């Protein structure tokens, strides 16, 4: 079985959502964001989320890659990077409108959403320079295809560009992916810790924030 990295396209959205949902279901934080949302409503929300990310790539520096089975073309992993970018004043105004009027489907744990993503936004503003730094925003691998090196393929795709530009790379990591990221030279700079008990979870859950200097670790 062989695999290849290709640019992701809007036509891949249904497959991206399927991998997304299968990969995050057991995450102690992400898995509790929509505990009571009907499956159809959750699917539609996530399709619209990725549709928006493709449509606004020029405003966010987003670069998206997929891994497919060479023989079948099946999408089995996906990464969403943010490459360094700058905007005109007009584009800055367009970007500022993106998060206005955000709504969630019924059954969403909105308190957890605001707590978790609010903290992520604060730390991104603290550590991430969008005009200079690379940011690995999402890395998801289908559970059936994990431990086959697909995450490594997607990481190398972005780090090669970052190292060519002699630029830092930021990432937010769950405990599951932390070991892999450290092999590539990322170092912890901060963390988010949330008591999941009020949200139907068990105890404390954490997300690490890491920064990689250009050329660090294995590539």
């Amino acid at each position: 079985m062989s695999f290849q990295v290709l640019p992701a396209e809007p036509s891949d959205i249904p497959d991206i959502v399927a991998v997304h949902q299968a990969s995050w279901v057991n995450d102690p934080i992400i898995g509790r964001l929509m505990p009571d949302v009907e499956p159809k409503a959750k699917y539609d929300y996530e399709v619209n989320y990725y549709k928006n990310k493709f449509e606004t790539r020029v405003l966010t520096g987003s670069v998206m890659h997929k891994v497919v089975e060479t023989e079948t073309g099946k999408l089995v992993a996906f990464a969403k990077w943010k490459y360094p970018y700058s905007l005109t004043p007009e584009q800055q105004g367009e970007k500022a409108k993106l998060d206005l009027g955000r709504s969630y489907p019924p059954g969403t744990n909105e308190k957890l959403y605001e707590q978790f993503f609010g903290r992520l936004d604060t730390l991104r503003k603290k550590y991430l320079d969008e005009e200079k730094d690379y940011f690995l925003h999402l890395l998801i691998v289908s559970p059936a295809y994990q431990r086959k090196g697909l995450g490594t393929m997607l990481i190398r795709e972005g780090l090669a560009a970052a190292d060519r530009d002699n630029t830092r790379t930021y990432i937010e990591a769950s405990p599951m992916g932390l070991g892999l990221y450290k092999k590539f030279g990322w170092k912890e700079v901060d963390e988010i810790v949330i008591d999941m008990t009020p949200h139907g979870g068990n105890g404390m859950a954490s997300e690490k924030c890491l920064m990689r200097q250009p050329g660090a670790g294995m590539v």
Side-chain angles (χ1 to χ4, degrees):
M1 185 180 298
S2 61
F3 304 93
Q4 61 183 136
V5 178
L6 298 171
E9 303 293 343
S11 59
D12 295 314
I13 289 175
D15 293 329
I16 292 170
V17 170
V19 173
H20 177 118
Q21 291 187 340
S23 300
W24 289 108
V25 65
N26 293 319
D27 183 88
I29 298 176
I30 303 299
R32 300 303 306 169
L33 291 173
M34 295 186 175
D36 301 314
V37 176
E38 292 292 329
K40 178 64 164 56
K42 185 176 182 180
Y43 177 82
D44 290 345
Y45 177 86
E46 291 174 350
V47 165
N48 287 331
Y49 168 85
Y50 281 108
K51 181 180 178 182
N52 175 265
K53 296 307 175 186
F54 276 101
E55 291 175 346
T56 60
R57 281 179 285 186
V58 69
L59 299 178
T60 61
S62 294
V63 176
M64 307 183 212
H65 300 127
K66 63 184 177 180
V67 173
V68 301
E69 283 186 336
T70 303
E71 295 82 1
T72 66
K74 179 181 178 181
L75 188 152
V76 294
F78 171 78
K80 177 177 173 287
W81 287 83
K82 289 188 176 183
Y83 284 15
Y85 68 101
S86 59
L87 302 175
T88 66
E90 181 179 357
Q91 289 173 323
Q92 290 173 2
E94 292 179 41
K95 184 182 177 185
K97 298 176 183 178
L98 293 180
D99 289 333
L100 296 179
R102 178 186 294 176
S103 60
Y104 307 108
T108 297
N109 187 336
E110 293 191 27
K111 288 185 177 180
L112 179 58
Y113 247 103
E114 298 304 324
Q115 181 181 4
F116 180 56
F117 288 105
R119 180 65 173 150
L120 286 181
D121 288 343
T122 297
L123 293 177
R124 288 171 190 171
K125 291 174 183 177
K126 180 178 180 179
Y127 294 106
L128 180 63
D129 184 339
E130 293 182 333
E131 293 188 358
K132 297 179 180 179
D133 297 330
Y134 283 69
F135 174 25
L136 178 50
H137 185 209
L138 286 172
L139 177 65
I140 50 178
V141 180
S142 172
Y145 290 83
Q146 291 176 3
R147 301 189 181 280
K148 296 181 183 294
L150 307 188
T152 293
M153 292 173 67
L154 290 167
I155 290 171
R156 284 177 171 158
E157 190 77 16
L159 290 188
D163 286 347
R164 282 196 301 268
D165 290 344
N166 196 35
T167 301
R168 304 183 309 171
T169 308
Y170 183 73
I171 194 171
E172 297 142 355
S174 67
M176 181 181 298
L178 192 59
L180 175 62
Y181 300 136
K182 287 186 174 182
K183 289 180 180 179
F184 279 95
W186 271 284
K187 303 291 185 183
E188 294 180 32
V189 295
D190 219 318
E191 70 175 334
I192 300 168
V193 180
I194 297 177
D195 182 1
M196 294 301 299
T197 306
H199 305 293
N202 297 312
M204 310 301 289
S206 66
E207 190 95 351
K208 303 290 187 181
C209 301
L210 305 98
M211 187 69 78
R212 176 187 181 271
Q213 299 299 322
M218 65 177 196
V219 179

